[in-house]
Amino acid sequence: MAWRGFMHRTKTELNTSFILFIKTSRFSLHPQQRCGFRKAQRKPENRKEIPKENSAPDLGEAVSKRNTVSSHPGSPVPPPRKPGHIFRPLVFTVGFTGCSFGAAAVLQYEAVKYRVETTMEEAREDKLKKYGQSHAHWHHWWNQLSDFQKKMILLVSVVDDWWSRLTEGQKTTTGIIALNTVVLCCWRIPFMQRTMFKFFTSSPVSKTRCLPMLLSSFSHYSILHMMANMYVLWTFSTSAVSLLGREQFLALYLSGGVFSTLISYICKTATGRLGRSLGASGAVMTVLAAVCSKTPEAKLGIILLPILSFTAGNALKTLVALDTVGLLLGWRMLDHAAHLGGVLFGVWYIVYGHELIWRRREPLVKFWHKLRKGPPGRAPPTGSV
């Protein structure tokens, strides 16, 4: 009876452990937590002695690791650190940076071309229009509308006036804020949790390592985290776009986010702290560092302390010092390696990258112009100049 009671209790514990393991593996997405739970179920205390004839270096290492885990059964087992995990993200970073600035050069060419065509068309329409006829036509059209339609048109006109008062940098940042808001809402949808965790958080030991380097720059789980990042981006976007232009600003922002994640991968692989990261802090730090490097004597302030003011150069040095201390001391609240990577990329681009990449975009623009114009002897597309 004692043996049967012992077997009954053993089966009950195994079934309970199996049910807990299924529930844990269903909701816990960290692979090291699953490995740690499996190690906790094993009890290798009875295998402390190993015959000498069966001993081998690999077997001895395995036993030592097993004994280490058994001494701490509740501790998770981290995944192995492999420097080869960095090769593909490095290639992705270089390729994405080149493609980003190449696309920015083409988009700038198209934007200038569109402005020239629009200005010419407006000049032609102004010559053909007569104010009296146009005024009478719009007055008749307005009288035929209902009250609801008039209110909607007035609301659209108010939004249009607000949009026209924004600077070019603020308009660009508004689109980035909208994308971050959509991703933040997706984190609140239960059936999208696994997809968001896989593609919108970055880790050097994840199976998907390259695409999250970009997508995680638009991903925030905390509303306060997103508001802080977007406020800093909104503050520096006007200066950044006025110095670089909208297309170059977008290329710098996206490339800075990818490069900062690469630096985070390298530091995580070196230190063994293989946690996941998300947020636009690395990309925002790239823009901040670019503006502060370009105008180091500009005066900055804190919204909660309007009396306190400091130069942009000193602000950048302070942020670098804080992130360096946090990285050395192992602070885990923020990804300090990604912050330093963003600062490094922003300063590098202002000092060397602008001359190395953007000033040499002329051959690409000429090639695109010939590609749009078509082969010799063919009529150009309608509306082209």
Side-chain angles (χ1 to χ4, degrees):
M1 295 297 292
W3 173 255
R4 290 180 180 178
F6 174 77
M7 291 298 297
H8 179 71
R9 288 195 303 271
T10 305
K11 290 180 179 180
T12 304
E13 292 175 359
L14 289 176
N15 292 333
T16 306
S17 301
F18 182 73
I19 293 172
L20 291 175
F21 174 71
I22 292 177
K23 292 182 178 180
T24 305
S25 62
R26 183 178 179 183
F27 296 101
S28 178
L29 301 178
H30 294 281
Q32 59 267 28
Q33 290 182 359
R34 293 200 293 268
C35 295
F37 192 86
R38 290 173 185 173
K39 291 293 184 180
Q41 288 181 343
R42 298 178 182 178
K43 297 181 180 181
E45 288 81 0
N46 298 329
R47 301 181 180 179
K48 293 182 179 180
E49 297 181 0
I50 300 175
K52 295 183 179 180
E53 59 271 15
N54 295 331
S55 62
D58 297 338
L59 185 59
E61 293 178 1
V63 173
S64 62
K65 292 180 180 179
R66 187 180 303 170
N67 292 334
T68 303
V69 173
S70 63
S71 61
H72 302 282
S75 60
V77 179
R81 290 175 287 169
K82 296 180 180 180
H85 290 165
I86 306 299
F87 178 74
R88 286 175 58 189
L90 176 61
V91 175
F92 177 78
T93 301
V94 175
F96 181 83
T97 301
C99 292
S100 297
F101 284 97
V106 173
L107 290 176
Q108 188 185 61
Y109 166 81
E110 293 292 336
V112 173
K113 187 172 179 293
Y114 175 76
R115 291 170 191 165
V116 172
E117 293 176 356
T118 304
T119 303
M120 294 177 63
E121 291 178 359
E122 290 178 354
R124 293 169 186 170
E125 291 177 357
D126 290 339
K127 292 181 181 180
L128 297 176
K129 281 183 178 180
K130 293 182 180 180
Y131 176 77
Q133 296 179 357
S134 177
H135 180 72
H137 170 74
W138 288 112
H139 182 72
H140 178 70
W141 174 79
W142 179 261
N143 291 332
Q144 291 180 346
L145 298 176
S146 62
D147 293 338
F148 177 76
Q149 291 175 338
K150 291 179 180 179
K151 291 180 180 179
M152 293 302 298
I153 292 175
L154 290 176
L155 178 62
V156 172
S157 64
V158 170
V159 175
D160 183 70
D161 291 339
W162 170 80
W163 181 259
S164 61
R165 287 195 297 268
L166 296 179
T167 63
E168 195 70 23
Q170 292 173 343
K171 292 178 181 179
T172 306
T173 306
T174 302
I176 298 175
I177 294 174
L179 288 176
N180 282 270
T181 305
V182 171
V183 176
L184 179 68
C185 294
C186 291
W187 274 107
R188 269 59 185 174
I189 302 176
F191 70 89
M192 293 190 64
Q193 291 292 316
R194 291 184 179 273
T195 302
M196 300 299 296
F197 191 86
K198 179 179 180 181
F199 293 103
F200 287 85
T201 59
S202 58
S203 174
V205 295
S206 176
K207 292 182 179 180
T208 307
R209 294 189 296 273
C210 296
L211 189 58
M213 297 176 70
L214 174 63
L215 298 181
S216 63
S217 298
F218 295 91
S219 178
H220 298 83
Y221 190 80
S222 171
I223 299 177
L224 294 177
H225 186 200
M226 191 193 77
M227 290 178 61
N229 285 334
M230 294 301 102
Y231 173 76
V232 176
L233 182 62
W234 180 274
T235 303
F236 287 89
S237 60
T238 301
S239 301
V241 172
S242 62
L243 292 172
L244 304 174
R246 181 180 59 185
E247 296 79 12
Q248 191 179 180
F249 164 77
L250 286 174
L252 180 67
Y253 180 84
L254 298 176
S255 301
V258 173
F259 183 83
S260 63
T261 307
L262 175 65
I263 300 300
S264 177
Y265 279 3
I266 295 174
C267 291
K268 287 177 181 178
T269 304
T271 58
R273 298 168 182 169
L274 303 175
R276 290 181 173 269
S277 301
L278 74 166
S281 302
V284 173
M285 292 294 288
T286 300
V287 176
L288 187 149
V291 174
C292 293
S293 300
K294 193 71 175 179
T295 57
E297 299 301 327
K299 292 293 183 180
L300 302 178
I302 303 176
I303 186 173
L304 299 178
L305 299 173
I307 302 177
L308 182 63
S309 63
F310 41 84
T311 61
N314 291 333
L316 183 61
K317 294 175 183 177
T318 303
L319 292 176
V320 170
L322 289 176
D323 286 321
T324 303
V325 172
L327 182 62
L328 295 176
L329 296 182
W331 296 347
R332 298 189 179 184
M333 185 176 180
L334 301 174
D335 194 345
H336 299 282
H339 290 187
L340 292 175
V343 172
L344 180 64
F345 186 79
V347 174
W348 173 84
Y349 184 78
I350 294 299
V351 178
Y352 302 104
H354 185 269
E355 185 72 25
L356 184 64
I357 300 176
W358 193 251
R359 292 290 180 86
R360 300 183 181 182
R361 71 188 187 281
E362 185 177 355
L364 177 61
V365 175
K366 288 183 178 180
F367 171 76
W368 178 257
H369 178 73
K370 292 180 181 179
L371 189 64
R372 287 249 357 225
K373 191 175 181 180
R378 183 180 176 182
T382 305
S384 62
V385 290

